[in-house]
């Protein structure tokens, strides 16, 4: 009988990670998502039924553990020891892509709602304002959307609907340019200087806003890629 796969550890690993969604589900879990709805908000392009199937598959493979819901509480997913051991591999995939194949976002890459949701995952609790602060984000252009960040240490609650809270700071920005800032392609000051972003509100909050978030995880890999592209562009 012919084996359906090559007898090789890499081939075995591809069986686990060789589809589009599995590494991204692991990404969501390793950056703090736990509930089904929370994971889905980080992956809005996957159907809920497919996400449920993938989570079941990861559970059967021993990578994800599910704690059943209790009265008044929703169930939670978390990585097992085996799943945790995959996190350096998932990060390495991101760093490789950032250096070798990643580029500026196209119109299809722009998703304002996902971008707004992602901000709470990269927030640095110690840098957030001490007093409760509400920020209204208005993203324009391809993938435009709006949302509210209700910031109260140690975290941020993301709202896509107006909760009637008093807004302390408003930010209007181009979605694609905000995507570039979020992944570390450009500093926020470049968005302001180019007119792609503008604040309405106290200058102290406007100046502090970019410091509340860590956009540096891929910065070294992106920098190496940019330096190599510049070298390759220089005529011999």
């Amino acid at each position: 009988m012919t084996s359906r796969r090559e007898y090789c550890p890499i081939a075995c690993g591809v069986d686990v990670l060789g589809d589009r969604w599995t590494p991204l589900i692991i990404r969501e879990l390793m950056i703090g998502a736990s509930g089904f709805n929370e994971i889905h908000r980080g992956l809005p392009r996957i159907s809920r039924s497919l996400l449920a199937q993938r989570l079941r598959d990861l559970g059967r493979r021993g990578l994800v553990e599910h704690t059943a819901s209790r009265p008044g509480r929703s169930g939670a997913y978390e990585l097992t020891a085996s799943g945790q051991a995959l996190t350096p591999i998932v990060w390495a995939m991101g760093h490789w892509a950032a250096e070798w194949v990643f580029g500026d976002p196209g119109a299809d890459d722009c998703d304002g709602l996902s971008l707004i949701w992602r901000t709470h995952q990269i927030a640095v609790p110690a840098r957030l304002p001490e007093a409760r602060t509400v920020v209204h984000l208005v993203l324009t252009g391809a993938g435009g959307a709006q949302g509210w960040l209700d910031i109260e240490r140690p975290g941020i609650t993301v709202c896509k609907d107006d909760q009637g809270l008093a807004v302390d700071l408003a930010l209007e920005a181009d979605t694609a340019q905000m995507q570039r800032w979020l992944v570390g392609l450009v500093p926020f000051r470049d968005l302001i200087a180019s007119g792609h972003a503008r604040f309405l509100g106290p200058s102290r909050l406007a100046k502090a806003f970019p410091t509340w978030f860590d956009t540096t995880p891929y910065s070294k890999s992106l920098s190496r890629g940019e330096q190599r592209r510049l070298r390759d562009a220089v005529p011999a």
Side-chain angles (χ1 to χ4, degrees):
M1 181 178 290
T2 303
S3 173
R4 288 180 297 171
R5 72 179 186 208
E6 182 183 354
Y7 184 68
C8 165
I10 294 176
C12 185
V14 169
D15 281 349
V16 177
L17 293 176
D19 74 272
R20 170 178 172 79
W21 297 113
T22 296
L24 296 180
I25 292 169
I26 292 172
R27 179 197 69 188
E28 292 303 303
L29 291 168
M30 73 190 196
I31 60 176
S34 60
F36 183 90
N37 289 336
E38 191 177 12
I39 297 169
H40 190 252
R41 285 194 71 176
L43 300 169
R45 298 187 184 187
I46 187 174
S47 70
R48 294 177 69 85
S49 59
L50 182 56
L51 175 58
Q53 177 190 321
R54 287 291 188 270
L55 286 168
R56 287 194 297 270
D57 291 344
L58 290 172
R60 283 193 290 267
R61 292 180 182 273
L63 302 176
V64 171
E65 185 176 40
H66 179 243
T67 303
S69 59
R70 290 179 288 175
R73 299 186 64 181
S74 59
Y77 296 88
E78 63 179 341
L79 294 171
T80 63
S82 176
Q84 289 284 356
L86 277 173
T87 61
I89 298 171
V90 175
W91 279 119
M93 291 170 62
H95 285 292
W96 171 82
E99 181 171 352
W100 293 96
V101 298
F102 199 66
D104 285 332
D108 290 342
D109 300 315
C110 295
D111 185 338
L113 285 177
S114 291
L115 188 157
I116 294 169
W117 173 253
R118 194 70 65 200
T119 58
H120 93 282
Q121 294 175 318
I122 65 169
V124 182
R127 299 180 190 170
L128 295 177
E130 294 183 3
R132 184 179 184 181
T133 303
V134 176
V135 180
H136 183 199
L137 297 179
V138 179
L139 302 180
T140 60
Q146 67 173 333
W148 288 259
L149 307 181
D150 185 0
I151 304 171
E152 192 166 16
R153 281 191 181 184
I156 298 176
T157 299
V158 179
C159 304
K160 63 180 181 179
D161 298 314
D162 189 353
Q163 303 298 305
L165 300 172
V167 172
D168 300 290
L169 180 70
L171 168 60
E172 182 179 326
D174 178 78
T175 307
Q177 296 302 320
M178 283 289 285
Q179 296 266 181
R180 297 179 74 228
W181 166 70
L182 197 74
V183 299
L185 279 169
V186 293
F188 201 89
R189 62 176 177 273
D190 285 8
L191 272 62
I192 296 294
S194 63
H196 287 124
R198 69 187 185 98
F199 287 106
L200 294 174
S203 59
R204 60 178 179 81
L205 290 178
K207 290 178 181 178
F209 176 87
T211 70
W212 300 340
F213 309 96
D214 182 8
T215 61
T216 64
Y218 298 112
S219 57
K220 291 182 179 180
S221 300
L222 290 166
S223 178
R224 287 193 297 268
E226 180 63 19
Q227 290 172 9
R228 186 179 59 259
R229 285 188 287 273
L230 290 174
R231 288 196 304 269
D232 293 345
V234 176

